[in-house]
PDB file of all heavy atoms in Angstrom:
ATOM      1  N   ALA A 246     192.331 188.878  56.237  1.00  0.00           N
ATOM      2  CA  ALA A 246     193.221 189.583  57.103  1.00  0.00           C
ATOM      3  C   ALA A 246     192.462 190.812  57.793  1.00  0.00           C
ATOM      4  O   ALA A 246     191.536 191.349  57.215  1.00  0.00           O
ATOM      5  CB  ALA A 246     194.529 190.099  56.418  1.00  0.00           C
ATOM      6  N   LYS A 247     193.044 191.189  58.956  1.00  0.00           N
ATOM      7  CA  LYS A 247     192.352 192.265  59.737  1.00  0.00           C
ATOM      8  C   LYS A 247     193.385 193.401  59.802  1.00  0.00           C
ATOM      9  O   LYS A 247     194.609 193.187  59.630  1.00  0.00           O
ATOM     10  CB  LYS A 247     191.908 191.830  61.067  1.00  0.00           C
ATOM     11  CG  LYS A 247     190.832 190.723  61.003  1.00  0.00           C
ATOM     12  CD  LYS A 247     189.543 191.201  60.399  1.00  0.00           C
ATOM     13  CE  LYS A 247     188.533 190.022  60.421  1.00  0.00           C
ATOM     14  NZ  LYS A 247     187.287 190.435  59.699  1.00  0.00           N
ATOM     15  N   PRO A 248     192.936 194.630  60.106  1.00  0.00           N
ATOM     16  CA  PRO A 248     193.905 195.754  60.162  1.00  0.00           C
ATOM     17  C   PRO A 248     194.887 195.378  61.299  1.00  0.00           C
ATOM     18  O   PRO A 248     194.597 194.721  62.318  1.00  0.00           O
ATOM     19  CB  PRO A 248     193.045 196.865  60.656  1.00  0.00           C
ATOM     20  CG  PRO A 248     191.613 196.568  60.158  1.00  0.00           C
ATOM     21  CD  PRO A 248     191.531 195.053  60.247  1.00  0.00           C
ATOM     22  N   PRO A 249     196.291 195.776  61.133  1.00  0.00           N
ATOM     23  CA  PRO A 249     196.730 196.584  60.025  1.00  0.00           C
ATOM     24  C   PRO A 249     197.286 195.839  58.883  1.00  0.00           C
ATOM     25  O   PRO A 249     198.089 196.325  58.146  1.00  0.00           O
ATOM     26  CB  PRO A 249     197.814 197.353  60.725  1.00  0.00           C
ATOM     27  CG  PRO A 249     198.380 196.324  61.733  1.00  0.00           C
ATOM     28  CD  PRO A 249     197.174 195.538  62.178  1.00  0.00           C
ATOM     29  N   LYS A 250     196.970 194.561  58.789  1.00  0.00           N
ATOM     30  CA  LYS A 250     197.613 193.612  57.816  1.00  0.00           C
ATOM     31  C   LYS A 250     196.783 193.494  56.514  1.00  0.00           C
ATOM     32  O   LYS A 250     197.043 192.829  55.646  1.00  0.00           O
ATOM     33  CB  LYS A 250     197.760 192.259  58.394  1.00  0.00           C
ATOM     34  CG  LYS A 250     198.705 192.247  59.555  1.00  0.00           C
ATOM     35  CD  LYS A 250     198.905 190.748  60.019  1.00  0.00           C
ATOM     36  CE  LYS A 250     199.919 190.686  61.191  1.00  0.00           C
ATOM     37  NZ  LYS A 250     200.158 189.377  61.650  1.00  0.00           N
ATOM     38  N   MET A 251     195.719 194.325  56.352  1.00  0.00           N
ATOM     39  CA  MET A 251     194.912 194.282  55.240  1.00  0.00           C
ATOM     40  C   MET A 251     195.535 194.930  53.958  1.00  0.00           C
ATOM     41  O   MET A 251     196.210 195.969  54.051  1.00  0.00           O
ATOM     42  CB  MET A 251     193.608 195.033  55.470  1.00  0.00           C
ATOM     43  CG  MET A 251     192.699 194.315  56.510  1.00  0.00           C
ATOM     44  SD  MET A 251     191.244 195.258  56.938  1.00  0.00           S
ATOM     45  CE  MET A 251     190.178 194.839  55.444  1.00  0.00           C
ATOM     46  N   ASN A 252     195.430 194.262  52.834  1.00  0.00           N
ATOM     47  CA  ASN A 252     195.960 194.812  51.522  1.00  0.00           C
ATOM     48  C   ASN A 252     194.688 195.224  50.814  1.00  0.00           C
ATOM     49  O   ASN A 252     193.595 195.190  51.213  1.00  0.00           O
ATOM     50  CB  ASN A 252     196.809 193.743  50.788  1.00  0.00           C
ATOM     51  CG  ASN A 252     196.039 192.463  50.352  1.00  0.00           C
ATOM     52  OD1 ASN A 252     194.861 192.433  50.675  1.00  0.00           O
ATOM     53  ND2 ASN A 252     196.757 191.630  49.776  1.00  0.00           N
ATOM     54  N   LEU A 253     194.966 195.608  49.507  1.00  0.00           N
ATOM     55  CA  LEU A 253     193.807 196.060  48.671  1.00  0.00           C
ATOM     56  C   LEU A 253     192.741 195.025  48.356  1.00  0.00           C
ATOM     57  O   LEU A 253     191.594 195.253  48.349  1.00  0.00           O
ATOM     58  CB  LEU A 253     194.371 196.647  47.317  1.00  0.00           C
ATOM     59  CG  LEU A 253     193.428 197.331  46.421  1.00  0.00           C
ATOM     60  CD1 LEU A 253     192.730 198.552  47.113  1.00  0.00           C
ATOM     61  CD2 LEU A 253     194.109 197.789  45.174  1.00  0.00           C
ATOM     62  N   LEU A 254     193.218 193.741  48.141  1.00  0.00           N
ATOM     63  CA  LEU A 254     192.311 192.667  47.912  1.00  0.00           C
ATOM     64  C   LEU A 254     191.318 192.520  49.130  1.00  0.00           C
ATOM     65  O   LEU A 254     190.156 192.375  48.980  1.00  0.00           O
ATOM     66  CB  LEU A 254     193.080 191.382  47.688  1.00  0.00           C
ATOM     67  CG  LEU A 254     192.257 190.164  47.409  1.00  0.00           C
ATOM     68  CD1 LEU A 254     191.177 190.399  46.308  1.00  0.00           C
ATOM     69  CD2 LEU A 254     193.074 188.966  47.113  1.00  0.00           C
ATOM     70  N   ALA A 255     191.935 192.544  50.325  1.00  0.00           N
ATOM     71  CA  ALA A 255     191.167 192.322  51.503  1.00  0.00           C
ATOM     72  C   ALA A 255     190.185 193.431  51.783  1.00  0.00           C
ATOM     73  O   ALA A 255     188.887 193.183  52.039  1.00  0.00           O
ATOM     74  CB  ALA A 255     192.103 192.262  52.827  1.00  0.00           C
ATOM     75  N   LEU A 256     190.640 194.658  51.496  1.00  0.00           N
ATOM     76  CA  LEU A 256     189.759 195.805  51.632  1.00  0.00           C
ATOM     77  C   LEU A 256     188.576 195.712  50.592  1.00  0.00           C
ATOM     78  O   LEU A 256     187.412 196.032  50.985  1.00  0.00           O
ATOM     79  CB  LEU A 256     190.524 197.084  51.340  1.00  0.00           C
ATOM     80  CG  LEU A 256     191.478 197.554  52.522  1.00  0.00           C
ATOM     81  CD1 LEU A 256     192.368 198.633  51.969  1.00  0.00           C
ATOM     82  CD2 LEU A 256     190.640 198.041  53.697  1.00  0.00           C
ATOM     83  N   SER A 257     188.931 195.397  49.394  1.00  0.00           N
ATOM     84  CA  SER A 257     187.837 195.251  48.370  1.00  0.00           C
ATOM     85  C   SER A 257     186.823 194.101  48.711  1.00  0.00           C
ATOM     86  O   SER A 257     185.672 194.379  48.701  1.00  0.00           O
ATOM     87  CB  SER A 257     188.538 194.974  47.022  1.00  0.00           C
ATOM     88  OG  SER A 257     187.527 194.630  46.097  1.00  0.00           O
ATOM     89  N   VAL A 258     187.302 192.874  49.063  1.00  0.00           N
ATOM     90  CA  VAL A 258     186.386 191.790  49.335  1.00  0.00           C
ATOM     91  C   VAL A 258     185.574 192.125  50.514  1.00  0.00           C
ATOM     92  O   VAL A 258     184.248 191.910  50.615  1.00  0.00           O
ATOM     93  CB  VAL A 258     187.194 190.472  49.464  1.00  0.00           C
ATOM     94  CG1 VAL A 258     186.283 189.392  49.947  1.00  0.00           C
ATOM     95  CG2 VAL A 258     187.806 190.088  48.174  1.00  0.00           C
ATOM     96  N   GLN A 259     186.221 192.618  51.655  1.00  0.00           N
ATOM     97  CA  GLN A 259     185.515 192.870  52.855  1.00  0.00           C
ATOM     98  C   GLN A 259     184.521 194.051  52.805  1.00  0.00           C
ATOM     99  O   GLN A 259     183.609 194.290  53.638  1.00  0.00           O
ATOM    100  CB  GLN A 259     186.467 192.987  53.998  1.00  0.00           C
ATOM    101  CG  GLN A 259     187.231 191.708  54.249  1.00  0.00           C
ATOM    102  CD  GLN A 259     188.239 191.877  55.480  1.00  0.00           C
ATOM    103  OE1 GLN A 259     187.937 192.458  56.404  1.00  0.00           O
ATOM    104  NE2 GLN A 259     189.299 191.106  55.456  1.00  0.00           N
ATOM    105  N   PHE A 260     184.701 194.869  51.774  1.00  0.00           N
ATOM    106  CA  PHE A 260     183.720 195.940  51.467  1.00  0.00           C
ATOM    107  C   PHE A 260     182.385 195.364  51.127  1.00  0.00           C
ATOM    108  O   PHE A 260     181.355 195.781  51.467  1.00  0.00           O
ATOM    109  CB  PHE A 260     184.195 196.907  50.411  1.00  0.00           C
ATOM    110  CG  PHE A 260     183.216 198.033  50.067  1.00  0.00           C
ATOM    111  CD1 PHE A 260     183.094 199.132  50.825  1.00  0.00           C
ATOM    112  CD2 PHE A 260     182.429 197.862  48.986  1.00  0.00           C
ATOM    113  CE1 PHE A 260     182.226 200.174  50.536  1.00  0.00           C
ATOM    114  CE2 PHE A 260     181.519 198.919  48.640  1.00  0.00           C
ATOM    115  CZ  PHE A 260     181.429 199.974  49.381  1.00  0.00           C
ATOM    116  N   PHE A 261     182.482 194.284  50.237  1.00  0.00           N
ATOM    117  CA  PHE A 261     181.190 193.673  49.705  1.00  0.00           C
ATOM    118  C   PHE A 261     180.793 192.500  50.530  1.00  0.00           C
ATOM    119  O   PHE A 261     179.560 192.135  50.415  1.00  0.00           O
ATOM    120  CB  PHE A 261     181.541 193.203  48.229  1.00  0.00           C
ATOM    121  CG  PHE A 261     181.785 194.328  47.273  1.00  0.00           C
ATOM    122  CD1 PHE A 261     183.000 194.692  46.896  1.00  0.00           C
ATOM    123  CD2 PHE A 261     180.686 194.980  46.731  1.00  0.00           C
ATOM    124  CE1 PHE A 261     183.143 195.722  45.932  1.00  0.00           C
ATOM    125  CE2 PHE A 261     180.768 196.002  45.810  1.00  0.00           C
ATOM    126  CZ  PHE A 261     182.116 196.414  45.445  1.00  0.00           C
ATOM    127  N   ALA A 262     181.615 191.823  51.235  1.00  0.00           N
ATOM    128  CA  ALA A 262     181.195 190.551  51.806  1.00  0.00           C
ATOM    129  C   ALA A 262     181.921 190.288  53.175  1.00  0.00           C
ATOM    130  O   ALA A 262     182.966 190.869  53.442  1.00  0.00           O
ATOM    131  CB  ALA A 262     181.462 189.351  50.896  1.00  0.00           C
ATOM    132  N   GLU A 263     181.300 189.337  53.889  1.00  0.00           N
ATOM    133  CA  GLU A 263     182.004 188.815  55.105  1.00  0.00           C
ATOM    134  C   GLU A 263     182.710 187.529  54.748  1.00  0.00           C
ATOM    135  O   GLU A 263     182.144 186.481  54.484  1.00  0.00           O
ATOM    136  CB  GLU A 263     180.987 188.536  56.202  1.00  0.00           C
ATOM    137  CG  GLU A 263     180.174 189.772  56.700  1.00  0.00           C
ATOM    138  CD  GLU A 263     180.986 190.731  57.525  1.00  0.00           C
ATOM    139  OE1 GLU A 263     182.094 190.304  57.901  1.00  0.00           O
ATOM    140  OE2 GLU A 263     180.558 191.845  57.659  1.00  0.00           O
ATOM    141  N   PRO A 264     184.112 187.507  54.714  1.00  0.00           N
ATOM    142  CA  PRO A 264     184.823 186.289  54.444  1.00  0.00           C
ATOM    143  C   PRO A 264     185.095 185.397  55.633  1.00  0.00           C
ATOM    144  O   PRO A 264     185.343 185.866  56.760  1.00  0.00           O
ATOM    145  CB  PRO A 264     186.151 186.820  53.818  1.00  0.00           C
ATOM    146  CG  PRO A 264     186.311 188.079  54.651  1.00  0.00           C
ATOM    147  CD  PRO A 264     184.982 188.670  55.025  1.00  0.00           C
ATOM    148  N   LYS A 265     185.026 184.127  55.390  1.00  0.00           N
ATOM    149  CA  LYS A 265     185.298 183.140  56.450  1.00  0.00           C
ATOM    150  C   LYS A 265     185.985 181.934  55.901  1.00  0.00           C
ATOM    151  O   LYS A 265     185.575 181.419  54.846  1.00  0.00           O
ATOM    152  CB  LYS A 265     184.008 182.663  57.057  1.00  0.00           C
ATOM    153  CG  LYS A 265     184.206 181.631  58.267  1.00  0.00           C
ATOM    154  CD  LYS A 265     182.913 181.191  58.829  1.00  0.00           C
ATOM    155  CE  LYS A 265     183.094 180.058  59.840  1.00  0.00           C
ATOM    156  NZ  LYS A 265     181.771 179.534  60.317  1.00  0.00           N
ATOM    157  N   ILE A 266     187.161 181.566  56.460  1.00  0.00           N
ATOM    158  CA  ILE A 266     187.827 180.395  56.044  1.00  0.00           C
ATOM    159  C   ILE A 266     187.127 179.182  56.709  1.00  0.00           C
ATOM    160  O   ILE A 266     186.981 178.985  57.929  1.00  0.00           O
ATOM    161  CB  ILE A 266     189.322 180.428  56.502  1.00  0.00           C
ATOM    162  CG1 ILE A 266     190.088 181.446  55.688  1.00  0.00           C
ATOM    163  CG2 ILE A 266     190.005 178.948  56.366  1.00  0.00           C
ATOM    164  CD1 ILE A 266     191.476 181.606  56.051  1.00  0.00           C
ATOM    165  N   VAL A 267     186.739 178.166  55.713  1.00  0.00           N
ATOM    166  CA  VAL A 267     186.011 177.016  56.168  1.00  0.00           C
ATOM    167  C   VAL A 267     187.042 175.873  56.512  1.00  0.00           C
ATOM    168  O   VAL A 267     186.734 175.124  57.531  1.00  0.00           O
ATOM    169  CB  VAL A 267     185.076 176.579  55.123  1.00  0.00           C
ATOM    170  CG1 VAL A 267     184.380 175.258  55.493  1.00  0.00           C
ATOM    171  CG2 VAL A 267     184.002 177.623  54.813  1.00  0.00           C
ATOM    172  N   GLY A 268     188.063 175.748  55.776  1.00  0.00           N
ATOM    173  CA  GLY A 268     189.030 174.617  55.976  1.00  0.00           C
ATOM    174  C   GLY A 268     190.111 174.771  54.968  1.00  0.00           C
ATOM    175  O   GLY A 268     190.092 175.435  53.993  1.00  0.00           O
ATOM    176  N   TYR A 269     191.161 174.108  55.324  1.00  0.00           N
ATOM    177  CA  TYR A 269     192.380 174.049  54.457  1.00  0.00           C
ATOM    178  C   TYR A 269     192.526 172.732  53.808  1.00  0.00           C
ATOM    179  O   TYR A 269     192.068 171.697  54.323  1.00  0.00           O
ATOM    180  CB  TYR A 269     193.729 174.351  55.321  1.00  0.00           C
ATOM    181  CG  TYR A 269     193.746 175.699  55.966  1.00  0.00           C
ATOM    182  CD1 TYR A 269     193.448 175.904  57.272  1.00  0.00           C
ATOM    183  CD2 TYR A 269     194.008 176.808  55.202  1.00  0.00           C
ATOM    184  CE1 TYR A 269     193.472 177.167  57.879  1.00  0.00           C
ATOM    185  CE2 TYR A 269     194.052 178.059  55.744  1.00  0.00           C
ATOM    186  CZ  TYR A 269     193.821 178.274  57.019  1.00  0.00           C
ATOM    187  OH  TYR A 269     193.845 179.443  57.616  1.00  0.00           O
ATOM    188  N   ILE A 270     192.980 172.739  52.582  1.00  0.00           N
ATOM    189  CA  ILE A 270     193.137 171.573  51.782  1.00  0.00           C
ATOM    190  C   ILE A 270     194.578 171.340  51.321  1.00  0.00           C
ATOM    191  O   ILE A 270     195.200 172.183  50.674  1.00  0.00           O
ATOM    192  CB  ILE A 270     192.338 171.691  50.478  1.00  0.00           C
ATOM    193  CG1 ILE A 270     190.920 172.088  50.794  1.00  0.00           C
ATOM    194  CG2 ILE A 270     192.296 170.404  49.744  1.00  0.00           C
ATOM    195  CD1 ILE A 270     190.048 172.400  49.577  1.00  0.00           C
ATOM    196  N   SER A 271     195.217 170.197  51.692  1.00  0.00           N
ATOM    197  CA  SER A 271     196.557 169.990  51.271  1.00  0.00           C
ATOM    198  C   SER A 271     196.583 169.762  49.782  1.00  0.00           C
ATOM    199  O   SER A 271     195.644 169.295  49.142  1.00  0.00           O
ATOM    200  CB  SER A 271     196.966 168.664  52.011  1.00  0.00           C
ATOM    201  OG  SER A 271     198.135 168.138  51.356  1.00  0.00           O
ATOM    202  N   LYS A 272     197.702 170.126  49.140  1.00  0.00           N
ATOM    203  CA  LYS A 272     197.871 170.053  47.702  1.00  0.00           C
ATOM    204  C   LYS A 272     197.897 168.548  47.270  1.00  0.00           C
ATOM    205  O   LYS A 272     197.607 168.291  46.026  1.00  0.00           O
ATOM    206  CB  LYS A 272     199.282 170.571  47.270  1.00  0.00           C
ATOM    207  CG  LYS A 272     200.485 170.148  48.072  1.00  0.00           C
ATOM    208  CD  LYS A 272     201.713 170.937  47.571  1.00  0.00           C
ATOM    209  CE  LYS A 272     202.900 170.645  48.515  1.00  0.00           C
ATOM    210  NZ  LYS A 272     202.902 171.391  49.731  1.00  0.00           N
ATOM    211  N   ASN A 273     198.000 167.648  48.228  1.00  0.00           N
ATOM    212  CA  ASN A 273     197.976 166.167  47.879  1.00  0.00           C
ATOM    213  C   ASN A 273     196.633 165.761  47.448  1.00  0.00           C
ATOM    214  O   ASN A 273     196.395 164.572  46.964  1.00  0.00           O
ATOM    215  CB  ASN A 273     198.463 165.356  49.048  1.00  0.00           C
ATOM    216  CG  ASN A 273     199.946 165.652  49.400  1.00  0.00           C
ATOM    217  OD1 ASN A 273     200.758 165.882  48.485  1.00  0.00           O
ATOM    218  ND2 ASN A 273     200.185 165.629  50.681  1.00  0.00           N
ATOM    219  N   ASN A 274     195.558 166.553  47.674  1.00  0.00           N
ATOM    220  CA  ASN A 274     194.199 166.157  47.322  1.00  0.00           C
ATOM    221  C   ASN A 274     193.771 166.564  45.953  1.00  0.00           C
ATOM    222  O   ASN A 274     192.645 166.487  45.486  1.00  0.00           O
ATOM    223  CB  ASN A 274     193.209 166.821  48.257  1.00  0.00           C
ATOM    224  CG  ASN A 274     193.411 166.304  49.751  1.00  0.00           C
ATOM    225  OD1 ASN A 274     193.008 165.167  49.982  1.00  0.00           O
ATOM    226  ND2 ASN A 274     193.853 167.100  50.631  1.00  0.00           N
ATOM    227  N   PHE A 275     194.777 167.054  45.148  1.00  0.00           N
ATOM    228  CA  PHE A 275     194.532 167.528  43.718  1.00  0.00           C
ATOM    229  C   PHE A 275     195.233 166.673  42.789  1.00  0.00           C
ATOM    230  O   PHE A 275     196.374 166.116  43.078  1.00  0.00           O
ATOM    231  CB  PHE A 275     194.864 168.984  43.556  1.00  0.00           C
ATOM    232  CG  PHE A 275     194.045 169.889  44.374  1.00  0.00           C
ATOM    233  CD1 PHE A 275     194.323 170.343  45.656  1.00  0.00           C
ATOM    234  CD2 PHE A 275     192.863 170.487  43.845  1.00  0.00           C
ATOM    235  CE1 PHE A 275     193.573 171.207  46.428  1.00  0.00           C
ATOM    236  CE2 PHE A 275     192.166 171.434  44.526  1.00  0.00           C
ATOM    237  CZ  PHE A 275     192.479 171.784  45.823  1.00  0.00           C
TER     238      PHE A 275
END
């Protein structure tokens, strides 16, 4: 998430790393 929707987890992770969503997986694949 980007501002202003960032929570503590987003702030923490984005402080250390650049996150990127690669793809979504349906629950049917598990």
Side-chain angles (χ1 to χ4, degrees):
K247 301 298 181 184
K250 297 182 178 181
M251 296 175 74
N252 63 3
L253 186 59
L254 178 60
L256 287 167
S257 175
V258 171
Q259 291 184 36
F260 177 82
F261 291 102
E263 298 288 347
K265 178 184 178 183
I266 288 177
V267 175
Y269 295 103
I270 309 172
S271 165
K272 53 182 170 285
N273 297 322
N274 292 291
F275 294 87

